[in-house]
Amino acid sequence: MMYVFLQTLISGVLVGGIYCLVGLGLTVIFGVMRVINACHGDLIMVAMYLSYYLHRTTGVEPLATVVVTAPCLFLLGYVIQRGFVARLRGSYAEDNSLLLTFGLGLILANTALVLFTADFRVVETEYSRAVWRLADLSISVAYLFSFVMALLVTALLYLFFMRTDVGLAIRATTQNRMAAGLVGVDVERVSWISFGLGAALAGVAGTLLMPIFYLYPTVGGLFTIKAFEVVVLGGMGSITGAIYGGLALGIVESFGAVYISTGYKDAIGFIAFVLVLVFRPAGLVGRSRL
């Protein structure tokens, strides 16, 4: 019984670490711009296709394609922000951003459907099915590699916000947009950098998911839901909360799959999401501005 418990906990933590990265991009965009990015999962889907075809055409290691996917998604995020989101003005901007990004998500998903068909795709690597043994416990090498990279990216993101001028400007804009502008922060520049950064994080997440998840054009909808669950579980606009929320979601889903049913895994995570909304709407660690 203890073996099953520990094995389930390890699996939940590994998956939760990747969920953290899925939710971080959405957290950054909402925390700075108060924009509800409903196409976040579709950005992850774009990164997965980019990583997949880079691997197929060049033979490069899938996880190594992050050096291409992250900058490309940053540019895509910049185009979305400057070309569409920046045009939203007025008191209904936040509500309209949800409709706008939802529509953009539909465009991205259907474009992928036309270009790549609805076929499912997977990436097979030397470590895809490899397992490390720790006493009687089994650890998936693919999940472990993705988990370690997710931790590294999260640590670098934290240092970026705490130690760089741009990071400090983003935090200042998050805390008080008007005051930041009054003390010389270029709020518009911070906005497009933040949206690009959130999209780049989606690119990293998509790259890390490629060796362990199947790919199809509408997979972005699933990841959008996961990202919202992570953000709400941790607290809207909180990077620390996104980390806790991702780990909590991964562990809840893992235990639900083992002790209830694998068929209800996603539903169990959604139930936890609804319960937090009802009984603790501020999230597990409360709302925080980055």
Side-chain angles (χ1 to χ4, degrees):
M1 184 65 70
M2 182 57 68
Y3 162 76
V4 174
F5 177 85
L6 292 176
Q7 184 68 65
T8 304
L9 180 62
I10 290 174
S11 298
V13 169
L14 292 179
V15 174
I18 301 170
Y19 282 168
C20 293
L21 202 55
V22 169
L24 275 176
L26 189 64
T27 295
V28 171
I29 293 172
F30 180 82
V32 174
M33 303 176 62
R34 320 310 291 176
V35 167
I36 304 173
N37 182 20
C39 69
H40 186 73
D42 296 288
L43 296 177
I44 293 175
M45 176 271 296
V46 171
M48 292 177 74
Y49 270 110
L50 185 57
S51 177
Y52 175 81
Y53 280 104
L54 283 172
H55 170 69
R56 286 290 300 274
T57 56
T58 67
V60 69
E61 164 63 41
L63 294 179
T65 61
V66 70
V67 299
V68 176
T69 57
C72 287
L73 266 292
F74 182 92
L75 291 176
L76 179 57
Y78 171 80
V79 170
I80 291 174
Q81 198 280 331
R82 300 288 286 182
F84 300 96
V85 177
R87 299 177 184 274
L88 299 177
R89 294 289 186 272
S91 59
Y92 296 103
E94 288 187 26
D95 296 333
N96 291 337
S97 71
L98 177 61
L99 298 175
L100 171 65
T101 54
F102 180 76
L104 290 173
L106 290 177
I107 292 172
L108 291 174
N110 283 279
T111 300
L113 186 62
V114 171
L115 293 176
F116 309 119
T117 74
D119 294 342
F120 281 54
R121 292 171 169 83
V122 293
V123 166
E124 289 287 342
T125 64
E126 295 180 356
Y127 54 84
S128 293
R129 302 181 186 277
V131 175
W132 282 352
R133 299 289 181 180
L134 181 62
D136 292 329
L137 301 174
S138 301
I139 301 175
S140 168
V141 175
Y143 275 90
L144 183 61
F145 283 175
S146 296
F147 176 78
V148 170
M149 285 191 66
L151 288 183
L152 178 62
V153 171
T154 303
L156 291 175
L157 182 67
Y158 178 82
L159 291 176
F160 169 77
F161 280 122
M162 295 298 174
R163 300 299 177 86
T164 67
D165 291 339
V166 176
L168 292 174
I170 292 175
R171 293 176 62 205
T173 305
T174 302
Q175 292 173 10
N176 192 313
R177 192 178 184 88
M178 182 178 294
L182 291 174
V183 298
V185 174
D186 189 341
V187 175
E188 289 301 317
R189 177 171 175 266
V190 167
S191 294
W192 69 255
I193 289 176
S194 301
F195 206 102
L197 179 61
L201 289 170
V204 176
T207 304
L208 299 188
L209 285 164
M210 196 60 248
I212 61 178
F213 209 86
Y214 44 85
L215 171 62
Y216 55 96
T218 56
V219 71
L222 173 63
F223 291 129
T224 297
I225 293 173
K226 298 293 184 188
F228 275 105
E229 289 175 354
V230 168
V231 170
V232 170
L233 285 173
M236 299 292 284
S238 170
I239 286 182
T240 304
I243 296 172
Y244 285 114
L247 292 173
L249 181 62
I251 292 171
V252 166
E253 288 188 350
S254 183
F255 276 96
V258 171
Y259 290 103
I260 300 176
S261 171
T262 55
Y264 293 110
K265 177 175 70 71
D266 293 329
I268 292 166
F270 189 75
I271 290 171
F273 162 79
V274 172
L275 290 175
V276 170
L277 275 179
V278 172
F279 296 106
R280 190 175 173 80
L284 298 177
V285 298
R287 284 186 174 84
S288 173
R289 298 299 181 85
L290 296 182

